[in-house]
Amino acid sequence: IAGITQAPTSQILAAGRRMTLRCTQDMRHNAMYWYRQDLGLGLRLIHYSNTAGTTGKGEVPDGYSVSRANTDDFPLTLASAVPSQTSVYFCATGTSGGDTDTQYFGPGTRLTVL
Amino acid sequence: GQNIDQPTEMTATEGAIVQINCTYQTSGFNGLFWYQQHAGEAPTFLSYNVLDGLEEKGRFSSFLSRSKGYSYLLLKELQMKDSASYLCAVRDSNYQLIWGAGTKLIIKP
């Protein structure tokens, strides 16, 4: 693994179905983030984790849940998908606590909910 | 509320210079970032400013004025590969990034 991987690359999902988006990193970064990106809007933070074992809510957390059992993995779950969750989802990592704390992004998952 | 404003789209000519502006109103300020995002790809880090002034990195420079809530990204000697969206983001008092909607830059030969 080099950097950040996300799976699946894209998915079409029926409304009401449960879906987990996977994110794995090998950068040993403490912080991980989930964003959604919609046309005409900036990236919006869904959930974040500053370190393994802790999670927090971002700007748009409703309908999503996360877990952080270890440093490398940060899955995002949609319990019951709705069409408004159609979006491109990016996972990102950061060093947390540093002056720059630059965030590095995975390749994204394009999700369509019908 | 928190707000990041940047132009939706700009057009420039190959070899020229372009300046992309970003104004912000956020609860607290702990640095401003510029990212580049090619269509269908992930954002990639370009620059970081936390103090007033100009930071230069090759063909790209970024300027910050905290008192004016203003930044710009300057791209020199434009190349076709610079066609992309440029995202401005501010780290607020909670150390979360607040993102602008991005500026789509179109480069013409």
Side-chain angles (χ1 to χ4, degrees), chain B residues 11-42:
Chain B
T11 303
T13 304
E14 189 177 16
I17 298 173
V18 71
Q19 178 175 311
I20 302 173
N21 296 325
C22 171
T23 58
Y24 63 89
Q25 290 178 307
T26 56
S27 57
F29 178 86
N30 286 294
L32 185 143
F33 296 78
W34 285 95
Y35 279 74
Q36 180 189 60
Q37 186 177 25
H38 285 101
E41 297 183 8

Side-chain angles (χ1 to χ4, degrees), chain A residues 12-26:
Chain A
I12 299 173
L13 190 66
R17 297 298 294 268
R18 181 183 179 90
M19 176 73 192
T20 295
L21 308 185
R22 298 185 298 279
C23 175
T24 299
Q25 57 132 343
D26 66 356

Side-chain angles (χ1 to χ4, degrees), chain A residues 33 35 37 40-43 45 48 90 98-107 110, chain B residues 30 33 35 37 40-45 48 87 91 95-102:
Chain A
Y33 309 87
Y35 290 95
Q37 187 175 41
L41 299 176
L43 288 160
L45 182 65
Y48 66 93
F90 287 104
D99 283 344
T100 57
D101 189 19
T102 301
Q103 291 188 12
Y104 301 88
F105 286 79
R110 184 173 297 273
Chain B
N30 286 294
F33 296 78
Y35 279 74
Q37 186 177 25
E41 297 183 8
T44 56
F45 171 74
Y48 169 75
L87 314 181
R91 189 162 62 200
Y95 280 78
Q96 300 297 348
L97 288 183
I98 308 301
W99 295 82

Side-chain angles (χ1 to χ4, degrees), chain B residues 23-104:
Chain B
T23 58
Y24 63 89
Q25 290 178 307
T26 56
S27 57
F29 178 86
N30 286 294
L32 185 143
F33 296 78
W34 285 95
Y35 279 74
Q36 180 189 60
Q37 186 177 25
H38 285 101
E41 297 183 8
T44 56
F45 171 74
L46 284 179
S47 69
Y48 169 75
N49 295 70
V50 67
L51 299 176
D52 290 350
L54 189 68
E55 294 281 342
E56 298 188 76
K57 258 190 195 181
R59 293 190 298 114
F60 293 8
S61 302
S62 56
F63 172 83
L64 174 67
S65 169
R66 288 172 296 170
S67 63
K68 294 182 179 178
Y70 168 70
S71 173
Y72 67 73
L73 181 70
L74 192 72
L75 291 75
K76 303 176 186 176
E77 301 170 12
L78 286 170
Q79 301 175 9
M80 297 303 293
K81 68 178 182 179
D82 297 330
S83 292
S85 289
Y86 292 85
L87 314 181
C88 174
V90 172
R91 189 162 62 200
D92 69 7
S93 56
N94 293 318
Y95 280 78
Q96 300 297 348
L97 288 183
I98 308 301
W99 295 82
T103 297
K104 182 178 180 181

